[in-house]
């Protein structure tokens, strides 16, 4: 049957479908040229060379009967609002130019087949804003569905569902109703074709294409529709009109209010369902309705929430193991021989330590660090080694199982044949507008814009220099924080020595810890400030590079932002883990930064507790600040924007006005969500050996994050334009890189930051008692220095007890030895053991990682079978359809339908069956 009803009066529009490519450059809303006007070339408006003709009926007469304004339909109550444009008619010097652009743009939209209906500003709540409602009729939808290669149902899926797991009954409390989890039946699908409409399961033209498909099609037209010529260049695209103020907003509508169902029976109320079943925090223990999310918001947002949910599920295992390791440290705290010796007045109380700063600091007894040494055992114990190895394997399991989950989603969401590379055929409108030079594409043989190599080189040099400058600025700020540590340590030491109020907590709040905490907080503030500024710089330099495609733009911005964030968030942790306390020299020959500030030492209990403090403050601070930004800020902005209208009745505060007052979920909205989670992933993998509770913190944050993201998307933001994506994109490669790096960093943390290796070397090679091999370790790990050997620069001002010697953390010969103050053989044994441990641990973990990755196939076997079954049935249905059409032509005496063509078609079907 022919679904294209034709009228006597028709409008002719030039269309340009693309044979392949999910979002290749397809038909533009280019119009019939008025007299004397010039039709733009395909490269200027995104057209391909192949052109077909589509007949679209004239616009219907609008029935302006009264209707509730809280509606998603035109005034006639039939035509659905697929998109809304808004503008303010301000009478400034640009007024006439903006008016002309709008008239031209809207005229071209109508000539492209879209239907418009304008709400006068008198009918708006504030009396200032015009709203242009856009509807895409059936003829436009089927044309662009073919161009965008949209898959539609052809047959109900006859593949049996998976065999139910007997343990599924235990998961019933976490399940959502079937209607919410699977809002649509499962179908076999095929790319839409206007010539084969009888083939598809079209029950109702008004609901055949979902609202997300409709707004995606309309957005495709809007981004390519011309609006005139300025300065000798063709101008087109809604984005440019938004940037120059011609329109104030462009957005698709939510289908209803989130807190109640719509009164219109034709409304699906999917937003209400998402809010009730997904976006409320009290549903945190429930699974996510991924199919409904995908249907309402599109595959790109759906794949993000699928990844975030899967990541959170996998974190549960890591959090459980991390808590067990923490509890092991807690329960064995009293058995730790090192802290026992430090706390023992007869051992730690008799060991006099050298001053930790020049002149101002005093000699101190080792047992003053008793409590901090006990707490350091919580994280610096044998379980740390086990947990570091476990997390190296966990990361691999997470990434490999995500690939399998992703493959299943690709099949279920009809993304199997979707290739990101097809989007590379789609030029960014900004690229087409800014690149004035053109050359012939060797593939399409069409003239298209390009950026000369010299211009690219200059832009990349400016971009690279800018990124390098900002990375250098981060390093400079980190050095400033280190200088702060060195400069204030003496002040803290003097303050805590003299302040009587701090005496009760002096055992816990040591000068080292006070310096570390305040420096971590200062570092976090600097991180947030630099991050805020660099976000805008990164977008600016990426725009300046003029990337050719949308994918290229996102990838470049992603790499810039991730590189900056990586250095910004992790540099302080890298300093504490791998540099602090490693280059201090020894008494009488200390090393100085800028020949002025003496390098700081680790606590006698080790630097691991300081790394834990740094990691906790930065990680927790970032998560708290991120949730404030994501939830509270949009809510306040929306409350302020709607404060005049919140008491208005429904018939005065329309659906398009309600959505207009919401925040915009921009094109980079998901980018920031991914970036936040990937930075968190780095915290729980790169430095997890120092803090086994990091996965637990991440788990609690992510449970909240899923609900915050869903809440803000459903209630605080305008409905995003639906977009397709079959994976998490370049983030997958970043996660893989961080997984490999995490093995190296954790091996170095265990070897050089913790005291694990020195204790093991002492236990097996230098123990002094067979009954208690670890007794005497503290005395063995501290070297002796003769106080009279101090140069004047290092001498403490006070030595009231007239100490003769002091101890310091190192392995050096005593002052009466012929190799005075040189490293002992034990030092070299420990260093060799550390290097050997790093090599062995890395190789073991990498071998296990690669073996696990090899053992786990990326695509589940049942998904492979389903994909083959669907391809076979789809080909069979299409071939049978072609054969029936050919039979009809033969019966009707069509001379072009030859017997040989009929035989060839039958042969192709047989070959398909055999394959």
């Amino acid at each position: 049957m022919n679904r294209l009803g034709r009228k006597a009066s028709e409008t002719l529009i030039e269309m340009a479908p693309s044979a392949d490519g999910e979002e290749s450059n397809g038909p533009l809303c280019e119009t019939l040229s008025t007299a004397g006007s010039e039709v733009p070339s395909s490269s200027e408006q995104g057209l391909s060379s192949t052109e077909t003709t589509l007949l679209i009926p004239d616009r219907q007469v609008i029935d302006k009967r009264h209707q509730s304004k809280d509606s998603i339909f035109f005034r006639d109550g039939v035509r659905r609002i697929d998109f809304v444009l808004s503008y303010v008619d301000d009478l400034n010097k640009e007024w006439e130019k903006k008016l002309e652009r709008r008239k031209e743009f809207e005229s071209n939209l109508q000539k492209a087949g879209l239907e418009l209906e304008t709400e006068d500003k008198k009918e708006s709540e504030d009396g200032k804003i015009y709203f242009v409602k856009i509807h895409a009729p059936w003829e436009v939808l089927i044309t662009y569905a073919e161009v965008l290669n949209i898959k539609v149902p052809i047959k109900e899926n006859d593949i049996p569902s998976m065999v139910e797991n007997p343990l599924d009954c235990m998961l019933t409390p976490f399940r959502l109703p079937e209607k919410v989890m699977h809002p649509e039946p499962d179908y076999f699908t095929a790319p839409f074709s206007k010539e084969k409409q009888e083939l598809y399961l079209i029950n109702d033209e008004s609901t055949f294409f979902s609202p997300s498909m409709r707004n995606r099609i309309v957005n495709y037209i809007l981004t390519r529709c011309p609006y005139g010529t300025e300065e000798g260049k063709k101008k087109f695209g809604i984005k440019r009109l938004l940037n120059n103020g011609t329109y104030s907003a462009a957005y698709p509508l939510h289908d209803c209010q989130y807190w109640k169902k719509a009164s219109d029976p034709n409304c699906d109320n999917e937003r209400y369902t998402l809010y009730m079943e997904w976006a409320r925090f009290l549903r945190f223990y429930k699974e996510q309705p991924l199919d409904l999310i995908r249907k309402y918001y599109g595959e790109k947002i759906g794949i993000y929430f699928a990844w975030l949910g899967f990541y959170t599920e996998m974190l549960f295992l890591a959090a459980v193991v991390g808590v067990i390791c923490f509890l092991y440290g807690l329960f064995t705290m009293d058995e730790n021989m090192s802290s026992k010796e430090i706390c023992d007045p007869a051992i730690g109380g008799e060991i006099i330590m050298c001053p930790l700063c020049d002149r101002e600091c005093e000699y101190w007894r080792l047992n003053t660090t008793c409590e901090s040494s006990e707490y350091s055992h919580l994280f610096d114990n044998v379980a740390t080694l086990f947990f570091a190895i476990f997390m190296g394997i966990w990361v691999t399991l997470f990434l490999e199982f995500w690939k399998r989950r992703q493959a299943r989603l690709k099949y279920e969401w009809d993304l199997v044949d979707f290739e990101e590379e097809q989007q590379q055929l789609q030029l960014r409108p900004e690229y087409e507008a800014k690149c004035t030079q053109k050359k012939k594409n060797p593939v399409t043989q069409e003239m298209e814009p390009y950026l000369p190599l010299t211009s690219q080189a200059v832009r990349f040099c400016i971009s690279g220099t800018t990124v390098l400058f900002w990375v250098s600025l981060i390093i400079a700020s980190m050095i400033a924080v280190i200088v702060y540590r060195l400069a204030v340590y003496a002040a803290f030491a003097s303050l805590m020595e003299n302040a009587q109020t701090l005496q009760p907590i002096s055992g816990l709040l040591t000068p080292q810890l006070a310096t570390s905490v305040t420096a971590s907080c200062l570092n976090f503030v600097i991180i947030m400030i630099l991050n805020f500024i660099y976000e805008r710089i990164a977008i600016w330099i990426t725009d300046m590079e003029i990337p050719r495609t949308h994918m290229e733009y996102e990838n470049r911005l992603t790499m810039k932002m991730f590189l900056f964030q990586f250095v910004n968030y992790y540099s302080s942790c890298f300093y504490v883990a791998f540099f602090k306390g490693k280059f201090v020299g020894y008494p009488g020959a200390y090393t100085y930064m800028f020949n002025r500030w003496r390098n700081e030492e680790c606590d006698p209990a080790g630097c691991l507790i300081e790394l834990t403090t740094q990691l906790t403050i930065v990680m927790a601070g970032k998560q708290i600040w991120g949730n404030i930004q994501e939830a509270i800020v949009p809510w306040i902005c929306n409350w302020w924007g709607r404060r005049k209208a919140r008491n208005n009745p429904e018939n005065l505060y329309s659906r398009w006005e309600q959505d207009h007052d919401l925040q915009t979920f921009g094109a980079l909205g998901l980018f920031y969500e991914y970036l936040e989670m990937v930075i968190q992933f780095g915290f729980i993998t790169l430095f997890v050996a120092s803090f086994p509770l990091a996965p637990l913190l991440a788990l609690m944050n992510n449970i909240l994050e899923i609900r915050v993201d869903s809440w803000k998307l459903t209630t605080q933001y305008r409905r995003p334009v639906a977009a397709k994506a079959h994976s998490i994109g370049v983030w997958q490669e970043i996660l893989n890189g961080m997984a490999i790096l995490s093995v190296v960093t954790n091996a170095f943390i265990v070897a050089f930051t913790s005291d694990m290796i020195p204790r093991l070397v002492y236990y097996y090679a230098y123990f002094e008692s067979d009954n208690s091999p670890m007794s005497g370790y503290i005395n063995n790990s501290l070297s002796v220095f003769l106080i009279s050997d101090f140069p004047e620069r290092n001498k403490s001002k006070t030595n009231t007890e007239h100490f003769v010697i002091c101890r310091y953390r190192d392995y050096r010969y005593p002052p009466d030895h012929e190799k005075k103050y040189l490293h002992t053989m034990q030092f070299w044994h420990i260093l060799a053991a550390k290097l050997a441990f790093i090599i062995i641990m890395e190789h073991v973990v990498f071998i296990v990682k690669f073996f696990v990755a090899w053992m786990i196939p990326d695509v589940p076997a049942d998904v492979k079978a389903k994909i083959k079954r669907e391809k076979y049935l789809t080909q069979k249905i299409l071939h049978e359809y072609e054969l029936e059409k050919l039979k009809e032509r033969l019966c009707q005496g069509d001379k072009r339908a030859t017997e040989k063509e009929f035989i060839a078609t039958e042969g192709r079907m047989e070959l398909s069956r055999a394959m």
Side-chain angles (χ1 to χ4, degrees):
M1 71 180 183
N2 188 356
R3 294 181 179 273
L4 288 175
R6 304 181 184 231
K7 294 185 178 180
S9 61
E10 296 171 324
T11 304
L12 184 66
I13 294 185
E14 295 297 322
M15 295 293 178
S18 172
D20 56 56
E22 174 61 28
E23 292 199 1
S24 60
N25 292 334
L28 239 302
C29 46
E30 184 53 85
T31 63
L32 281 172
S33 303
T34 54
S37 68
E38 178 185 343
V39 179
S41 67
S42 62
S43 62
E44 291 176 317
Q45 53 177 324
L47 286 169
S48 64
S49 57
T50 308
E51 293 186 346
T52 60
T53 303
L54 173 71
L55 295 172
I56 291 183
D58 286 330
R59 297 181 64 197
Q60 302 172 5
V61 177
I62 296 175
D63 179 9
K64 296 188 177 180
R65 67 178 182 271
H66 177 74
Q67 183 190 16
S68 170
K69 294 181 75 176
D70 187 37
S71 169
I72 56 172
F73 294 94
F74 275 20
R75 296 190 191 103
D76 58 13
V78 176
R79 292 173 295 169
R80 186 184 187 95
I81 301 172
D82 297 313
F83 229 88
V84 174
L85 307 178
S86 66
Y87 62 90
V88 178
D89 207 1
D90 49 346
L91 298 176
N92 55 24
K93 60 181 181 180
E94 293 283 324
W95 176 76
E96 290 187 0
K97 186 179 290 187
K98 291 180 181 178
L99 178 63
E100 187 63 33
R101 289 172 185 157
R102 281 195 293 267
K103 287 178 63 177
E104 181 74 14
F105 187 69
E106 292 172 17
S107 173
N108 287 339
L109 290 177
Q110 289 175 319
K111 290 175 183 177
L114 297 178
E115 298 174 0
L116 311 182
E117 185 177 82
T118 303
E119 292 287 332
D120 193 83
K121 65 180 180 180
K122 296 177 182 177
E123 299 185 28
S124 67
E125 180 270 327
D126 61 0
K128 298 178 181 179
I129 304 174
Y130 291 87
F131 293 94
V132 180
K133 299 175 286 184
I134 302 175
H135 167 76
W138 174 256
E139 293 82 1
V140 172
L141 292 173
I142 60 175
T143 300
Y144 285 90
E146 184 173 8
V147 170
L148 296 177
N149 209 30
I150 291 176
K151 288 187 174 183
V152 294
I154 58 172
K155 185 180 185 295
E156 278 206 47
N157 192 336
D158 62 354
I159 299 176
S161 58
M162 295 177 61
V163 179
E164 289 195 12
N165 190 332
L167 299 178
D168 279 352
C169 60
M170 298 175 60
L171 302 176
T172 302
F174 307 102
R175 301 291 188 196
L176 287 173
E178 182 66 19
K179 189 176 181 181
V180 177
M181 287 302 297
H182 304 288
E184 295 178 312
D186 193 12
Y187 294 104
F188 291 132
T189 59
F192 188 84
S193 171
K194 288 190 296 182
E195 305 301 324
K196 302 173 183 177
Q197 292 185 52
E198 299 89 342
L199 192 62
Y200 309 113
L201 303 179
I202 306 176
N203 298 320
D204 185 354
E205 290 180 359
S206 63
T207 59
F208 181 67
F209 293 104
S210 67
S212 61
M213 289 181 183
R214 297 174 70 101
N215 74 54
R216 182 168 155 240
I217 289 173
V218 173
N219 182 68
Y220 184 85
I221 298 172
L222 290 173
T223 55
R224 288 157 179 78
C225 187
Y227 59 84
T229 304
E230 296 178 8
E231 300 176 357
K233 298 179 183 178
K234 276 287 178 180
K235 301 291 184 179
F236 55 88
I238 186 63
K239 186 174 181 180
R240 296 178 69 86
L241 291 173
L242 291 171
N243 289 340
N244 60 34
T246 304
Y247 290 99
S248 58
Y251 52 95
L253 289 180
H254 284 294
D255 62 357
C256 66
Q257 294 171 333
Y258 67 85
W259 65 87
K260 67 176 183 178
K261 291 185 177 181
S263 56
D264 192 331
N266 295 321
C267 180
D268 294 331
N269 295 299
E270 290 175 347
R271 185 190 189 193
Y272 171 79
T273 304
L274 285 169
Y275 174 71
M276 297 301 294
E277 302 291 347
W278 177 53
R280 295 188 301 164
F281 182 74
L282 292 178
R283 314 292 282 181
F284 73 92
Y285 61 95
K286 294 285 188 179
E287 61 184 337
Q288 297 187 85
L290 293 176
D291 288 346
L292 185 57
I293 297 169
R294 172 245 183 173
K295 182 186 176 189
Y296 193 75
Y297 291 114
E299 288 81 0
K300 194 168 186 178
I301 290 178
I303 207 85
Y304 163 73
F305 280 104
W307 176 81
L308 180 57
F310 183 80
Y311 172 43
T312 304
E313 291 171 13
M314 290 294 290
L315 274 175
F316 181 77
L317 175 62
V320 168
V321 177
V323 170
I324 292 173
C325 292
F326 175 79
L327 292 176
Y328 171 83
L330 183 65
F331 292 143
T332 59
M333 187 184 296
D334 294 335
E335 301 171 12
N336 180 27
M337 185 58 68
S338 298
S339 58
K340 279 184 178 180
E341 291 187 346
I342 292 175
C343 298
D344 189 346
I347 301 176
E350 296 299 323
I351 296 177
I352 308 302
M353 301 297 293
C354 297
L356 292 171
C357 64
D358 294 338
R359 306 294 292 168
E360 301 297 331
C361 296
E362 298 181 346
Y363 298 96
W364 53 284
R365 297 182 185 276
L366 183 59
N367 65 348
T368 57
T369 61
C370 173
E371 291 184 30
S372 63
S373 68
E374 289 179 336
Y375 286 118
S376 71
H377 178 73
L378 291 172
F379 310 107
D380 192 359
N381 53 65
V382 178
T384 301
L385 173 59
F386 165 77
F387 192 61
I389 296 173
F390 167 79
M391 286 302 294
I393 299 171
W394 175 88
V395 169
T396 304
L397 290 173
F398 163 62
L399 294 175
E400 292 302 316
F401 281 125
W402 166 245
K403 289 178 186 176
R404 291 170 63 83
R405 180 79 177 101
Q406 192 169 255
R408 192 175 296 279
L409 287 174
K410 283 174 67 175
Y411 168 74
E412 293 174 354
W413 291 356
D414 295 323
L415 299 169
V416 173
D417 296 325
F418 173 72
E419 295 293 339
E420 297 277 10
E421 287 75 14
Q422 293 173 357
Q423 291 190 5
Q424 292 182 358
L425 300 175
Q426 179 184 334
L427 300 180
R428 292 174 66 239
E430 295 85 351
Y431 180 85
E432 296 178 286
K434 293 179 181 178
C435 299
T436 55
Q437 300 187 40
K438 298 185 179 182
K439 68 177 180 180
K440 183 179 288 187
N441 187 312
V443 178
T444 62
Q445 294 297 305
E446 292 183 358
M447 297 298 292
E448 64 178 28
Y450 84 103
L451 195 63
L453 188 61
T454 52
S455 179
Q456 289 185 45
V458 171
R459 293 172 188 274
F460 277 124
C461 286
I462 296 174
S463 173
T465 304
T466 306
V467 172
L468 188 62
F469 167 77
W470 279 90
V471 171
S472 303
L473 192 61
I474 297 171
I475 296 172
S477 68
M478 185 188 70
I479 293 173
V481 173
I482 294 173
V483 170
Y484 165 84
R485 286 172 175 268
L486 304 179
V488 303
Y489 179 81
F492 275 120
S494 176
L495 176 67
M496 292 180 180
E497 182 71 24
N498 300 322
Q500 297 298 321
T501 56
L502 296 177
Q503 288 302 317
I505 59 170
S506 60
L508 178 62
L509 189 64
T510 61
Q512 293 99 322
L513 186 59
T515 303
S516 181
V517 170
T518 56
S520 297
C521 293
L522 176 63
N523 184 65
F524 175 71
V525 173
I526 293 174
I527 285 173
M528 291 294 104
I529 294 173
L530 290 177
N531 192 42
F532 176 80
I533 299 173
Y534 183 77
E535 281 182 8
R536 286 139 186 82
I537 299 293
I539 293 172
W540 175 75
I541 58 179
T542 306
D543 288 338
M544 182 202 63
E545 291 175 6
I546 318 180
R548 189 172 183 271
T549 65
H550 292 283
M551 177 188 283
E552 200 175 312
Y553 181 90
E554 280 196 17
N555 288 349
R556 289 189 189 180
L557 182 61
T558 297
M559 295 312 297
K560 288 184 183 68
M561 284 297 296
F562 177 73
L563 175 64
F564 177 85
Q565 299 263 23
F566 185 92
V567 179
N568 199 18
Y569 281 107
Y570 302 144
S571 57
S572 58
C573 292
F574 271 99
Y575 164 73
V576 175
F578 306 124
F579 295 97
K580 183 179 178 182
K582 308 300 186 294
F583 309 100
V584 295
Y586 62 94
Y590 290 118
T591 54
Y592 289 81
M593 177 178 283
F594 307 128
N595 202 31
R596 179 175 178 182
W597 292 287
R598 186 174 126 188
N599 287 350
E600 58 182 333
E601 301 178 36
C602 288
D603 190 279
C607 267
L608 199 68
I609 190 68
E610 293 189 47
L611 177 58
T612 304
T613 304
Q614 177 77 23
L615 184 65
T616 305
I617 290 175
V618 176
M619 181 180 175
K622 182 186 183 304
Q623 292 180 167
I624 293 170
W625 178 250
N627 286 323
I628 291 174
Q629 279 187 309
E630 291 183 22
I632 298 177
V633 173
W635 180 82
I636 292 174
C637 292
N638 288 335
W639 175 84
W640 182 258
R642 294 184 299 200
R643 65 193 187 283
K644 293 181 180 178
R646 61 178 179 267
N647 295 321
N648 284 357
E650 184 178 286
N651 63 338
L652 295 179
Y653 195 38
S654 63
R655 159 74 19 233
W656 43 92
E657 287 179 279
Q658 293 172 36
D659 284 9
H660 179 269
D661 289 340
L662 298 177
Q663 298 298 299
T664 303
F665 192 78
L668 297 176
L670 278 185
F671 166 81
Y672 292 114
E673 301 297 341
Y674 276 119
L675 183 62
E676 178 186 3
M677 288 295 102
V678 170
I679 293 297
Q680 182 205 82
F681 181 82
F683 281 125
I684 69 162
T685 53
L686 296 177
F687 308 102
V688 74
S690 68
F691 191 36
L693 293 181
L696 179 63
L697 287 182
L699 174 65
M700 293 189 295
N701 174 79
N702 287 8
I703 291 173
L704 179 64
E705 181 76 21
I706 291 174
R707 303 304 156 179
V708 168
D709 286 349
S710 59
W711 174 80
K712 73 178 183 183
L713 203 59
T714 306
T715 68
Q716 303 301 308
Y717 282 89
R718 296 172 187 161
R719 185 174 184 170
V721 177
K724 279 206 167 190
H726 76 309
S727 68
I728 61 175
V730 71
W731 298 108
Q732 182 81 36
E733 301 306 317
I734 291 175
L735 292 175
N736 288 334
M738 294 182 76
I740 294 173
L741 180 61
S742 68
V743 177
V744 179
T745 55
N746 283 302
F748 272 86
I749 287 173
V750 173
F752 285 97
T753 309
S754 79
D755 268 0
M756 178 87 56
I757 303 303
R759 285 200 295 261
L760 289 175
V761 170
Y762 179 82
Y763 183 88
Y764 287 107
Y766 291 90
F767 64 91
E768 298 175 0
S769 172
D770 292 333
N771 297 327
S772 180
M774 285 305 296
S775 62
Y777 169 73
I778 290 297
N779 185 64
N780 176 266
S781 64
L782 298 175
S783 299
V784 178
F785 184 78
L786 192 63
I787 292 177
S788 60
D789 289 341
F790 266 125
E792 195 62 32
R793 178 181 185 179
N794 303 137
K795 275 186 179 179
S796 175
K797 291 180 180 179
T798 57
N799 185 8
T800 55
E801 298 185 47
H802 304 289
F803 299 122
V804 178
I805 62 169
C806 64
R807 310 294 291 274
Y808 61 98
R809 186 182 172 86
D810 206 343
Y811 293 93
R812 294 179 182 271
Y813 289 110
D816 57 352
H817 197 277
E818 60 180 7
K819 296 182 180 179
K820 179 179 178 180
Y821 302 141
L822 294 180
H823 282 124
T824 64
M825 188 56 66
Q826 187 175 351
F827 170 85
W828 300 108
H829 287 168
I830 291 173
L831 181 61
K834 289 179 176 181
L835 297 177
F837 169 80
I838 291 171
I839 295 171
I840 293 171
M841 178 179 169
E842 285 181 359
H843 281 69
V844 169
V845 175
F846 279 134
I847 289 171
V848 174
K849 279 169 62 71
F850 291 131
F851 179 73
V852 169
W854 174 76
M855 285 287 292
I856 303 174
D858 291 348
V859 182
D862 65 308
V863 173
K864 284 183 180 179
K866 289 179 179 180
I867 292 172
K868 290 178 181 178
R869 170 71 176 163
E870 179 165 341
K871 284 186 175 179
Y872 164 73
L873 288 177
T874 303
Q875 288 180 353
K876 181 182 177 183
I877 292 169
L878 291 174
H879 292 163
E880 287 176 351
Y881 172 80
E882 292 177 3
L883 191 61
E884 288 299 319
K885 284 293 183 183
L886 197 55
K887 284 180 180 178
E888 289 179 12
R889 289 168 58 193
L890 284 170
C891 293
Q892 293 171 3
D894 189 342
K895 295 180 180 180
R896 291 175 295 176
T898 64
E899 186 177 351
K900 289 183 178 179
E901 186 179 354
F902 180 77
I903 294 171
T905 304
E906 277 195 323
R908 188 172 63 179
M909 289 179 60
E910 292 297 327
L911 181 61
S912 176
R913 291 193 192 99
M915 292 176 64

